[in-house]
Amino acid sequence: MNSRLLTALRSRKMLTALRSRNVWTRTATLAAACILSTAAAWAQAPAAAGSAASSKVGVISIRQAIVTTAEGKVASAELQSQFASRQNEIENLNKQISDLQQRLQASANKLSQEEEARLRQQGQRLAQRLDRMNTEYQEDVNAAQADVIDRIGRKMVDVLDRYARENGYSVVLDSSAQGTPILYASTQIDVTQDIIRLYDQAYPVKAGAAATPPKPAAAKPAPATTQPPAAKP
């Protein structure tokens, strides 16, 4: 029995599990980068002339604010519905690979060279297909998530700008930005909840939007995988 195929199958299964875990959290973090640069640029800009002498400083978690707004929650539900069928397809392919791995383990030293070679090739084809599906899935999820974060984030920066100027803030720092210099910030200067509230007031979600997410896109039919006949003793 060739042990390299078993090792490869195990590695690919583990890789897929790691890729699937917390996908929405990871993609939201990556997609937020385009908005963070805008927010950071605003935060470092000179204060308005009327508040130039003020030293009032605020802190906000842009990432938390975006996903906590009513619009952000609806968008998250829509994305999950949109990609659910593709995620199920990946999980089903993972199961096929797992079943093949178990068959190879159970049939160790019992298969002919031809049968072993055939199963090995089948496993390689499934693993290659899984890699392609995972790559395309991650790219599409990241792109869709980036569009949502960009749409909400740009409007949120406007809300934050107005709030800061009206309340005399000289600087508002983003505590969720990578490499942030913030080591400690009192909850009294955290304006995240205020911005979420003002955003929801400025951009209310239409009634029923959260209750009726769009139907998921139909998944492409996966080629049928014929189970090989049992090896003759």
Side-chain angles (χ1 to χ4, degrees), residues 16-33:
T16 302
L18 290 173
R19 285 175 173 172
S20 299
R21 189 175 304 161
N22 297 326
V23 63
W24 305 109
T25 301
R26 295 200 310 273
T27 53
T29 299
L30 293 173

Side-chain angles (χ1 to χ4, degrees), residues 145-156:
Q145 190 79 22
D147 288 342
V148 171
I149 299 297
D150 182 76
R151 182 183 75 240
I152 298 177
R154 292 186 185 282
K155 292 185 292 185
M156 181 166 289

